[in-house]
Amino acid sequence: MEHIVLAYDASPGAEAALDWVSWRIQNEAAVVHLLFVTNPLWAEKTQATRNLHAARDQLRRHNPALTVHLLLLDGRKIPTLTRAALDADLLVMGASQRARAPHQGSAALPLRVANRVICPTVLVPEGWTSGSGEPRVMVGIDDDSSSDTAAAFAADEATRLHAPLHLVHAWKTLPSAPGRVRDQVSGDAEIEDAHRRLLNEVAARIRTGWPGLPLELTLVHDNPVSALATAARHADVTVIGSHRRGAITAVILGSVAQDLSRDLHSPLCIVP
């Protein structure tokens, strides 16, 4: 039985995360831990407890088979959430658009948590609502092994939601030394063929492990963040792998999750 930790503080982002969990497991048995992290110096916890009870009632209305536990824990948010998710299969957090600051994504704190936990983390943007059409799951395929686990998770999600799985792989050619045009074209074609083989190999593994799952493959010569952001506009869930970069390294090298979270419109799942 799946074990989900849902960080809930009754904020708009948390309400969206609550709605997403209800949508995702509406016909399944699962254990949900509703977690609210409080400041030890904050004496007023009565309202927080009421909010947790109301959220539990909402989950049970949508799915009476759920087992829901309420957790009201004192402590700092990041280490407390990290500890609470140690035995979880999934951590779900809201991303509040009002928390956005210049040069910062709308999910700064959830991203810091996702970089520490050992389970997949789903960031649900404030205002999220379920679509009326067929759900779609998209996964970004990297050019290293960091996306292997993400691809498997995405295939499971697509199977769970009876949805097709969209595999997106993008690459960006680095500037090369001046040379003959023919040599440059030949080199670009070889690079594209290598990336196409990589994408096809991932698709072949998914077809073996999840036979019958409809797949859509997209190969793009573009900045990976731009390509994934474009594909994510048409997805109900976007899945990416995590390189587990620290905060300083992410600033220097960039982070796909960090860049995607700056304009988040659908849930983003980060898989370690």
Side-chain angles (χ1 to χ4, degrees):
M1 187 178 297
E2 190 176 35
H3 173 195
I4 299 171
V5 173
L6 170 57
Y8 184 79
D9 60 2
S11 66
E15 293 294 348
L18 179 68
D19 290 341
W20 184 83
V21 170
S22 297
W23 170 78
R24 180 180 178 272
I25 56 175
Q26 54 188 319
N27 297 315
E28 301 178 16
V31 176
V32 178
H33 281 77
L34 279 168
L35 170 63
F36 183 71
V37 181
T38 65
N39 187 321
L41 302 179
W42 184 51
E44 181 54 59
K45 298 181 180 179
T46 304
Q47 186 58 51
T49 303
R50 292 190 186 124
N51 292 338
L52 287 176
H53 279 86
R56 178 192 62 189
D57 293 344
Q58 178 176 327
L59 286 172
R60 286 179 172 170
R61 280 196 300 273
H62 285 85
N63 187 348
L66 290 181
T67 299
V68 184
H69 300 290
L70 307 184
L71 297 175
L72 193 65
L73 301 179
D74 288 336
R76 292 181 297 143
K77 286 188 176 181
I78 292 176
T80 303
L81 286 167
T82 302
R83 287 193 300 270
L86 278 175
D87 299 320
D89 298 305
L90 194 66
L91 172 63
V92 183
M93 307 180 69
S96 176
Q97 300 298 321
R98 292 183 300 178
R100 182 181 298 174
H103 311 298
Q104 184 182 51
S106 62
L109 185 144
L111 282 174
R112 292 172 64 190
V113 175
N115 198 43
R116 297 189 182 197
V117 298
I118 59 176
C119 67
T121 302
V122 178
L123 280 56
V124 183
E126 174 185 334
W128 174 87
T129 56
S130 60
S132 56
E134 182 184 58
R136 289 174 58 86
V137 178
M138 187 270 284
V139 59
I141 304 300
D142 211 333
D143 54 7
D144 58 26
S145 60
S146 66
S147 59
D148 289 350
T149 306
F153 179 88
D156 282 338
E157 285 298 291
T159 300
R160 175 195 299 274
L161 298 172
H162 305 289
L165 177 59
H166 185 191
L167 280 65
V168 178
H169 177 60
W171 85 96
K172 187 175 182 180
T173 304
L174 296 176
S176 56
R180 292 185 303 174
V181 173
R182 180 178 298 177
D183 292 340
Q184 184 175 352
V185 171
S186 175
D188 288 346
E190 290 177 0
I191 292 172
E192 181 175 349
D193 287 343
H195 284 281
R196 191 179 304 279
R197 285 195 299 272
L198 183 150
L199 181 60
N200 288 335
E201 287 169 1
V202 174
R205 290 197 295 271
I206 293 176
R207 290 189 177 102
T208 299
W210 293 263
L213 177 64
L215 297 183
E216 178 184 347
L217 277 59
T218 297
L219 182 67
V220 185
H221 187 188
D222 193 5
N223 180 287
V225 173
S226 176
L228 290 175
T230 298
R233 295 191 189 105
H234 307 286
D236 293 279
V237 180
T238 297
V239 182
I240 60 173
S242 168
H243 292 85
R244 287 198 173 279
R245 291 173 176 153
I248 296 177
T249 308
V251 170
I252 297 173
L253 299 180
S255 165
V256 173
Q258 189 174 46
D259 289 339
L260 287 176
S261 72
R262 290 188 178 123
D263 191 24
L264 201 60
H265 296 287
S266 61
L268 173 66
C269 182
I270 304 167
V271 181

